[in-house]
């Protein structure tokens, strides 16, 4: 799963991953060190003319047919193995796939004292990347939202958790976003993920609280904080 992530990279570095027109190149965003479910996040998708555009929506998918914002089931992640078959994600999987920019995320292990020890997972040099996502717009509730697809974890991520968010290979971006390709072809893109390229290290337990906010110390190795 993926319950928290970071978006620290300056926007000028993020846009290199995408094909955005000039109006999006001027966007300015603050560093975010502890993004939590239901918070608003940016994501990239195609408009009706096939252009890559940026939208903002809550990180907790609200299907277009939902009658309320919250669900008794967590909707910030979707299992890649069968998301295309689930009523909550099926329509989005067909035509509303998206890319969610990030540069790291957190997972937890159980500490010797029974507490939760967070680990920060990232690509070498903190290179930005994109989670494979789905998005939806609910007209009745006037809410735009998204979710992150997950898969069984690979090394080294499997050392701390049995699942991982899918960080797509940039070569698959165009295909993943294209609503004209079949669901099966889109699903094949998910096999091109960057999971095994990641690195990880322990960070302090401050990140355990979603109220920790945008504090750069959240991604400092735990050993240097003692």
């Amino acid at each position: 799963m993926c319950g928290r992530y970071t978006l620290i990279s300056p926007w000028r570095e993020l846009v290199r991953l995408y094909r955005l027109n000039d109006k999006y190149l001027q966007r300015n965003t603050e560093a975010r060190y502890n993004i939590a479910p239901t918070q608003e996040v940016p994501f990239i998708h195609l408009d009706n003319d096939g252009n890559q555009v940026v939208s903002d929506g809550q990180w907790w998918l609200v299907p277009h047919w939902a009658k309320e914002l919250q669900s008794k089931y967590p909707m910030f992640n979707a299992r890649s193995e069968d998301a295309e078959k689930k009523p909550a994600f099926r329509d989005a999987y067909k035509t509303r796939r998206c890319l969610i920019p990030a540069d790291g995320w957190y997972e937890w292990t159980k500490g010797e004292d029974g507490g939760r020890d967070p680990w920060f997972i990232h690509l070498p040099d903190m290179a930005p990347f994109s989670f494979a996502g789905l998005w939806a717009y609910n007209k009745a509730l006037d809410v735009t939202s998204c979710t992150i697809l997950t898969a069984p974890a690979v090394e080294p991520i499997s050392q701390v958790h049995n699942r991982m968010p899918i960080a797509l290979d940039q070569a698959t971006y165009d295909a993943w976003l294209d609503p004209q390709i079949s669901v099966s072809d889109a699903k094949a893109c998910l096999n091109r993920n960057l999971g095994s390229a990641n690195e990880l290290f322990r960070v302090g337990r401050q990140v355990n609280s979603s109220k920790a906010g945008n504090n750069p110390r959240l991604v400092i190795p735990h050993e240097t904080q003692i």
Side-chain angles (χ1 to χ4, degrees), residues 156-218:
I157 303 165
S158 57
Q159 297 173 28
V160 296
H161 203 276
N162 62 359
R163 295 194 66 79
M164 65 180 186
I166 297 176
L168 283 178
D169 184 325
Q170 191 174 356
T172 68
Y173 286 6
D174 286 344
W176 175 249
L177 293 178
D178 186 355
Q180 301 303 315
I181 72 169
S182 68
V183 168
S184 59
D185 285 346
K187 190 171 184 177
C189 293
L190 303 180
N191 295 323
R192 299 278 300 278
N193 71 75
L194 306 176
S196 61
N198 281 277
E199 302 172 352
L200 69 165
F201 58 86
R202 262 281 311 278
V203 293
R205 288 183 178 178
Q206 302 96 312
V207 77
N208 292 4
S209 171
S210 61
K211 298 179 181 179
N214 293 334
N215 187 343
R217 290 188 58 80
L218 295 180

Side-chain angles (χ1 to χ4, degrees), residues 37-197:
T38 74
Q39 293 181 356
E40 190 168 273
V41 299
F43 62 89
I44 288 78
H45 62 100
L46 298 186
D47 65 13
N48 292 334
D49 296 319
N51 301 310
Q52 289 187 7
V53 295
V54 184
S55 291
D56 295 282
Q58 81 162 14
W59 178 29
W60 182 289
L61 192 126
V62 180
H64 68 86
W65 43 259
K67 296 181 179 180
E68 54 188 20
L69 286 175
Q70 293 298 324
S71 164
K72 63 180 179 179
Y73 303 106
M75 299 289 284
F76 56 91
N77 286 165
R79 289 172 56 91
S80 63
E81 295 94 321
D82 56 6
E84 77 280 9
K85 301 175 184 177
K86 300 294 184 182
F89 306 120
R90 186 169 52 212
D91 291 339
Y93 207 111
K94 290 178 182 177
T95 60
R96 290 191 167 181
R97 298 182 293 272
C98 67
L99 300 167
I100 301 175
D103 39 39
W105 77 94
Y106 302 99
E107 284 298 355
W108 284 262
T109 55
K110 188 173 182 179
E112 294 181 359
D113 61 356
R116 299 173 72 229
D117 289 334
W119 294 76
F120 183 56
I121 304 169
H122 61 93
L123 289 176
D125 300 321
M126 285 284 292
F129 58 85
S130 300
F131 293 128
L134 308 173
W135 73 282
Y137 175 67
N138 185 303
K139 185 175 181 180
L141 298 173
D142 190 25
V143 60
T144 300
S145 59
C146 61
T147 190
I148 293 172
L149 286 160
T150 67
V154 298
E155 286 284 348
I157 303 165
S158 57
Q159 297 173 28
V160 296
H161 203 276
N162 62 359
R163 295 194 66 79
M164 65 180 186
I166 297 176
L168 283 178
D169 184 325
Q170 191 174 356
T172 68
Y173 286 6
D174 286 344
W176 175 249
L177 293 178
D178 186 355
Q180 301 303 315
I181 72 169
S182 68
V183 168
S184 59
D185 285 346
K187 190 171 184 177
C189 293
L190 303 180
N191 295 323
R192 299 278 300 278
N193 71 75
L194 306 176
S196 61

